[in-house]
Amino acid sequence: MTIAVRPAVLADASDIAQVHVRAWQEAYGHLVPEESLARQSVDQRAMRWAEIISEQTENVWVAVDEALVVVGWASTSSGRGESPPRPLELDGLYILASQYGSGAGQLLFDAAIADAAAYLWVADDNPRARAFYTRNGFLPDGASDTHFLAGTAVRAIRLVR
């Protein structure tokens, strides 16, 4: 299967939202109650993604398969919070579980940050994501925080490169 990555356009907002919700359901079932994940609204996420893409507050890329169906997305910004440790934050990178091992995640990563100095937050108990980021040169810098996923408090750690 061939995967292509391109910058997101406004028309992608709904597809990004669908991947966002489904990827959370697939990746966070061990961290977040199933009923909380099931309540995630694609329509609400689509509205938020339309805002993000329109306002250009983040750079957003999508991975599409041979049928041009969005199977993943990544976004970056100049960083959230006070005193970011690097000038670029990988705000999110999600692909559908059906695409694990396809190279879609790496293609999105390369489009979003390539070799740039950057940072990101990842759920501490997310071994698949942590291994991916470690392979790409990211290491914990000792910072941790509580992030909320579908209303559930989850320990997150900051990785930097």
Side-chain angles (χ1 to χ4, degrees):
M1 177 176 288
T2 302
I3 301 292
V5 172
R6 61 169 173 75
V9 296
L10 188 56
D12 295 320
S14 180
D15 294 337
I16 294 169
Q18 289 177 30
V19 169
H20 197 158
V21 168
R22 192 160 137 212
W24 271 33
Q25 291 167 341
E26 294 170 343
Y28 297 139
H30 68 292
L31 297 172
V32 177
E34 185 178 328
E35 57 274 7
S36 297
L37 291 169
R39 284 194 303 266
Q40 294 300 293
S41 169
V42 171
D43 290 340
Q44 287 178 338
R45 289 231 186 247
M47 287 189 294
R48 181 64 187 127
W49 277 110
E51 289 174 10
I52 290 168
I53 294 167
S54 294
E55 295 170 359
Q56 299 180 355
T57 55
E58 298 180 32
N59 294 307
V60 183
W61 293 265
V62 292
V64 296
D65 65 13
E66 293 168 336
L68 302 181
V69 173
V70 174
V71 297
W73 60 269
S75 64
T76 62
S77 69
S78 59
R80 299 169 282 184
E82 296 179 24
S83 304
R86 301 287 189 268
L88 183 65
E89 180 178 4
L90 180 63
D91 298 315
L93 190 158
Y94 290 92
I95 63 169
L96 299 175
S98 63
Q99 298 301 311
Y100 290 173
S102 71
Q106 190 65 52
L107 289 170
L108 282 165
F109 179 90
D110 292 344
I113 64 171
D115 294 326
Y119 74 103
L120 60 96
W121 290 91
V122 63
D124 189 25
D125 185 13
N126 189 343
R128 181 178 194 86
R130 290 187 61 181
F132 175 81
Y133 294 125
T134 298
R135 281 193 311 273
N136 281 283
F138 282 82
L139 297 171
D141 71 351
S144 65
D145 198 3
T146 300
H147 289 192
F148 288 87
L149 301 174
T152 300
V154 174
R155 183 174 187 267
I157 61 170
R158 188 169 65 193
L159 306 179
V160 298
R161 177 181 73 181

